[in-house]
Structures are given as structure tokens and as C-alpha cells.
Amino acid sequence: MFSYALSEPDAGSDAAGMKTRAVRDGDFWVLNGVKRWITNAGVSEYYTVMAVTDPDKRSKGISAFVVEKGDEGVSFGAPEKKLGIKGSPTREVYLDNVRIPASRMIGAEGTGFATAMKTLDHTRVTIAAQAIGIAQGALDYAKGYVKERKQFGKPIADFQGVQFMLADMAMKLEAARQLTYAAAAKSERVDSDLTFFGAAAKCFASDVAMEVTTDAVQLLGGYGYTRDYPVERMMRDAKITQIYEGTNQVQRIVMARNLP
Ligand SMILES: Cc1cc2nc3c(=O)[nH]c(=O)nc-3n(C[C@H](O)[C@H](O)[C@H](O)COP(=O)(O)OP(=O)(O)OC[C@H]3O[C@@H](n4cnc5c(N)ncnc54)[C@H](O)[C@@H]3O)c2cc1C
């Protein structure tokens, strides 16, 4: 597997403010720095690492490299203790004088940040899909539960207040799904408006997933709040989709800059 190493302890939303440095040494590059929050770090064999090759040029002075797990000077931090997605390991990657052949640069020098942003246009669609899967799971579970659970002598599904909640959940989820399919088609075709659609799909679907999973917990009442039922986990897992691959504030910045 490949991990994607863009973020750093002091460079998250402002990824171009990264400090990881790559310095040319003959036919080699020598990398030093810390990458933070790297999904599958320690598990992946390969790492796409963004590093500064020209500190005077900010985003145009960043290049992309392939670093291998076994390269001398590569090590990993302790697994992060997270709210959710606990099945997905997240660790820091330390680069301590990692000397790699110049052929391991991806594309031309100085194009790494542009490559990273173009990659996100596509991968954000997959986060939207992840959000939809989580939300669908929560809706399906809540739909079944309200038919079984009885209060006031009848299934809670008979109450209009509950029906309206389920209708809203299904409506928002379907809207998110259609936007994600539209963005996925644009990703396949590499359409010129993909940047807007990738950000919009990720932002909308993850906000919907947060709402739908929170409402699913609500529909299960006190039982929803316990680990005996799956919806609290879905609520915790939904939260990350609003944060990674760029927070939803960042998605709104991207959309505003690329209005259709
Ligand atoms: C579990 C997990 C897995 C991850 N996996 C990866 C990975 O594999 N590879 C990788 O490179 N990164 C990964 N990340 C990093 C992730 O993309 C960043 O956490 C994210 O981009 C936010 O950066 P930050 O955490 O530094 O928050 P900050 O940038 O410090 O943001 C803090 C808050 O300020 C807001 N904010 C910042 N700037 C603005 C602005 N201009 N306008 C409005 N609001 C703003 C943010 O929206 C947020 O609410 C992962 C993170 C997590 C938690």
C-alpha cells in the first residue's frame, strides 16, 4: 500500500506551510522532517511524501517523492488514540536524513503541491462515499429499530415526529449520494469542474453523515448512546469525514474559489 504524507504538526489546513525539507545531493535527495496524521503509516510499504525543495517559492517550491518503509532513517510514531475509525491506524512518520535516489521524485521539481491538490480532487470523492456508507448504515439500523421499539403501546415508528426524522435523514442521504455520483463521474472523466464537485461532494456528504448518524443515535434513545448498539460508533466514525482530506471549512474555501 501507499500512504499519503502531506500534513505536518504545524501544517494542516495550510499544507503549503510545511517544513519537511528535501536537499539535493548529487544523484540523491536527502529528506528531513515530520509528517503527522498519516493513515496506514507503519503498515504501508510506500509513502508519497511532499517536501520543500525550494523554500523561497512556497507552494511552487514543494516536490513529491516516493519514500519506502525500509529506507534508512524512516520511523513511525505511536498510534494516535482517536475518537473513531479505530480500524485505520494513524501515526507520525519521521524522516531523519533519508537518502533516496533522484529517480524517486514524482514529476518535475516544484510540482509536488499541484500534484497533491489534484490528487485531493479525486480522493475527496472517496471520502464522500465513505460518509454515505456510514450514514446509510445508521439509517438502516434506525429504520429497523423504530419498528421494534414500543412506547405508549405502539411501535415508535407510528409517531409522526419519528417518521419526519427518518424522512429527512433519507432525503439528505439521497441528495448526498446523487452529488457524489455526479462527482465520481467527473473524477473518471477528469472534467474541468471536478475541483468544485469533489469539494462539494465531500463537504455535503460528510455534513449529512454527521447529521444522520446523530439522528440515528437520537432515534435509539438511551440505547443509542451505548456501545451495545452500532450507531454510536457510526456517529464517531462520521466525524472524521468532516475533518480529513481538508476540513469542511477548507472545502468551502475551495468551492468559493472554483464556483461553477
Ligand atoms: C484520523 C486522521 C487521518 C488523517 N490522514 C491523513 C493522511 O493520510 N495524510 C495526510 O497528509 N493527512 C492526514 N490527516 C490530516 C488532516 O487532513 C488534517 O488534520 C486536516 O487537514 C486539518 O488540519 P489540522 O488538523 O492541522 O487542523 P487546522 O488546520 O489546525 O485547523 C483547525 C481548525 O481551524 C479551521 N481553519 C483553518 N484554516 C482556516 C481558514 N482559512 N478558514 C476557516 N477555518 C480554518 C479548520 O477548518 C479547523 O476547524 C489525517 C487526520 C486525521 C485526524
Side-chain angles (χ1 to χ4, degrees):
M1 290 195 298
F2 259 91
S3 283
Y4 180 75
L6 176 68
S7 306
E8 297 185 359
D10 294 322
S13 299
D14 181 17
M18 68 177 63
K19 295 196 186 95
T20 294
R21 192 79 166 88
V23 176
R24 184 99 194 207
D25 179 18
D27 285 343
F28 294 85
W29 286 92
V30 180
L31 275 66
N32 277 289
V34 179
K35 291 293 174 182
R36 187 159 187 140
W37 311 117
I38 306 309
T39 299
N40 288 326
V43 179
S44 295
E45 205 60 44
Y46 303 102
Y47 298 81
T48 305
V49 174
M50 310 299 159
V52 176
T53 42
D54 186 343
D56 297 329
K57 293 191 182 155
R58 212 173 132 82
S59 68
K60 293 201 166 63
I62 291 170
S63 304
F65 298 90
V66 174
V67 171
E68 298 187 10
K69 184 181 177 178
D71 287 335
E72 209 180 316
V74 175
S75 61
F76 305 98
E80 303 291 347
K81 299 185 187 86
K82 305 192 300 281
L83 176 72
I85 58 161
K86 294 183 183 178
S88 167
T90 314
R91 296 165 75 171
E92 284 188 324
V93 177
Y94 306 121
L95 304 161
D96 183 14
N97 281 322
V98 179
R99 197 177 158 79
I100 56 172
S103 61
R104 294 240 218 115
M105 183 182 273
I106 303 167
E109 190 176 335
T111 62
F113 196 74
T115 303
M117 294 303 113
K118 264 187 259 161
T119 305
L120 290 173
D121 285 348
H122 296 273
T123 55
R124 280 173 183 153
V125 184
T126 71
I127 306 303
Q130 177 189 12
I132 286 163
I134 296 167
Q136 186 70 58
L139 175 60
D140 289 348
Y141 197 88
K143 236 166 57 184
Y145 183 87
V146 296
K147 287 183 197 141
E148 301 289 321
R149 175 70 175 169
K150 288 199 174 99
Q151 290 292 285
F152 303 96
K154 46 179 155 175
I156 58 170
D158 286 0
F159 299 120
Q160 204 175 45
V162 167
Q163 292 168 8
F164 281 4
M165 276 181 78
L166 287 161
D168 276 348
M169 289 158 78
M171 172 182 70
K172 288 174 190 165
L173 178 52
E174 193 51 34
R177 179 178 284 114
Q178 294 304 327
L179 179 56
T180 303
Y181 284 160
K186 286 177 186 296
S187 165
E188 286 283 314
R189 295 189 299 259
V190 200
D191 284 355
S192 58
D193 53 1
L194 170 63
T195 302
F196 175 86
F197 272 81
K202 187 274 193 197
C203 186
F204 189 72
S206 60
D207 283 352
V208 163
M210 201 64 242
E211 278 180 58
V212 167
T213 54
T214 305
D215 283 349
V217 170
Q218 189 71 17
L219 285 172
L220 267 72
Y223 296 97
Y225 200 63
T226 69
R227 293 203 176 170
D228 297 335
Y229 291 83
V231 287
E232 62 82 33
R233 179 177 69 80
M234 293 166 176
M235 187 176 137
R236 288 185 287 106
D237 286 352
K239 186 65 207 169
I240 192 60
T241 63
Q242 293 183 303
I243 295 173
Y244 64 9
E245 302 268 326
T247 66
N248 282 3
Q249 285 88 347
V250 166
Q251 304 309 318
R252 288 176 168 95
I253 296 171
V254 171
M255 282 186 272
R257 283 184 188 152
N258 295 277
L259 290 174

